[in-house]
Amino acid sequence: MLYVIGLGPGKEELMSQEALAAIADCEIIVGYSTYMRLILDLVKDKELVANGMRQEIDRCQKAIDLARETGKNVGVVSSGDAGVYGMAGLILELLGDASDVEVKVVPGITASLGAAAVMGAPLMNDFCHISLSDLMTPWEMIEKRLHAAAQGDFVVCLYNPRSKGRPDHLTKALSIMSEYKSEDTIVGIGKDIGRKDEEIILTTIKDLDETLVDMTTIVIVGNKETYVKNGRMITPRGYTL
C-alpha cells in the first residue's frame, strides 16, 4: 500500500485518526525534510527517506519505487491536505495507468481551514484557494484567477503569498483585488498555524503589512460582508437574525 498522508499543520492533535493509523501502518515514510521533523515522535521506528524543496518528483517516484520493490507499506507525507497543493496528484500522475501499486489518499486539515478556525469563521460563504506561487502556474494565469475571484466577491485564501523569491506577489494580488473589493475589506493573516509560533493578525487590505507575511503564512481576504466582532473574523452565511 502507498499512503499519501495529509499531516495538517503538523500538530498531532490536528491530525485525523485515519492519518495517525496510516503512519502507524507504514514501514517506510517519505517526505520533505521540514515536514518529517514535525512527526519525528510518530516515526521513530520507521525507515525515513527525506529530501529538500523542489524535489517533489524525485520524492514521489522514490516512494512508488519503494512500494513496488519492497512490497512494504510506504507513506508519503504532505503538510496540510495531500490533495491541496500536496503530493496526491503527483503520485497519481506518475503512476498513470499502472495498477500494480495500491494508493490511498488520507486527507488532512489544509492551511485555510486551520487558520479560519483560529480567526473565527471567515469561510462561512463561498470561498476559493489561489496560490501566488508562479513556479507551476504562469503569473498571467494567477492574475486572471485573482480578477475572477475578486469580481465574484469570493472570500479568497491566498497560499504561498510571499517569499524571498517573489516579495511583491502579495502586493500585486491585493492591488488586483482592490479593483473590485473595498480597501477596508477585512484580511486575516495566519502564521505558523497549529505550531508553537502561531499568530493571527486581523487587518484590512489598505493596512496590511506585507513584511509580516512569509511562506508559513496564509492570507484570507474577506468578501464585502466580512467583519470583525470581539476579535473574530466573521463572514455571514446569510441567516436572518
Side-chain angles (χ1 to χ4, degrees), residues 99-119:
S99 58
D100 59 323
V101 176
E102 185 177 0
V103 177
K104 183 173 181 58
V105 179
V106 180
I109 296 174
T110 190
S112 61
L113 302 183
V118 185
M119 290 176 187

Side-chain angles (χ1 to χ4, degrees), residues 2-6 26 28-31 59-60 63-64 74-78 82 87 91:
L2 177 55
Y3 292 99
V4 192
I5 305 167
C26 288
I28 304 171
I29 299 290
V30 180
R59 189 185 311 149
C60 289
I64 292 169
V74 177
V76 179
V77 294
S78 294
M87 295 295 100
I91 288 285

Side-chain angles (χ1 to χ4, degrees), residues 10-227:
K11 184 179 180 181
E12 184 175 344
E13 290 86 346
L14 293 178
M15 294 182 197
S16 69
Q17 291 299 310
E18 185 178 12
L20 292 170
I23 291 171
D25 195 40
C26 288
E27 297 158 275
I28 304 171
I29 299 290
V30 180
Y32 172 40
S33 53
T34 296
Y35 301 151
M36 298 282 265
R37 287 195 289 271
L38 297 174
I39 57 169
L40 284 179
D41 289 344
L42 301 176
V43 297
K44 289 179 178 177
D45 59 336
K46 318 289 184 184
E47 178 184 343
L48 304 181
V49 180
N51 65 5
M53 288 185 68
R54 303 189 186 183
Q55 299 178 49
E56 292 86 355
I57 294 176
D58 291 343
R59 189 185 311 149
C60 289
Q61 187 62 60
K62 180 66 173 179
I64 292 169
D65 292 344
L66 286 168
R68 280 184 171 138
E69 294 165 7
T70 68
K72 296 179 178 179
N73 289 332
V74 177
V76 179
V77 294
S78 294
S79 68
D81 183 284
V84 180
Y85 308 122
M87 295 295 100
L90 183 51
I91 288 285
L92 296 176
E93 287 184 85
L94 288 169
L95 279 169
D97 294 329
S99 58
D100 59 323
V101 176
E102 185 177 0
V103 177
K104 183 173 181 58
V105 179
V106 180
I109 296 174
T110 190
S112 61
L113 302 183
V118 185
M119 290 176 187
L123 306 182
M124 284 296 295
N125 214 313
D126 294 340
F127 66 95
C128 66
H129 293 166
I130 298 177
S131 171
L132 298 187
S133 171
D134 57 358
L135 293 175
M136 301 291 178
T137 304
W139 180 252
E140 292 76 14
M141 179 57 69
I142 294 171
E143 285 189 344
K144 288 181 180 180
R145 292 170 179 172
L146 289 165
H147 278 285
Q151 187 172 20
D153 199 31
F154 282 83
V155 175
V156 183
C157 305
L158 298 176
Y159 280 63
N160 306 309
R162 187 170 181 269
S163 69
K164 292 179 180 178
R166 44 182 186 277
D168 301 323
H169 282 196
L170 178 59
T171 298
K172 291 178 182 178
L174 293 175
S175 177
I176 289 170
M177 289 192 284
S178 293
E179 295 179 31
Y180 312 94
K181 294 176 178 285
S182 165
E183 289 189 340
D184 293 320
T185 299
I186 303 301
V187 179
I189 298 172
K191 298 172 66 66
D192 296 301
I193 298 300
R195 302 175 189 177
K196 65 178 182 178
D197 295 324
E198 177 180 279
E199 182 181 10
I200 292 293
I201 299 165
L202 301 183
T203 184
T204 63
I205 289 178
K206 69 180 179 183
D207 292 329
L208 185 145
D209 181 356
E210 66 178 26
T211 64
L212 299 173
V213 177
D214 57 23
M215 284 296 288
T216 65
T217 305
I218 177 113
V219 176
I220 300 181
V221 182
N223 68 17
K224 65 182 179 182
E225 304 292 340
T226 304
Y227 66 96

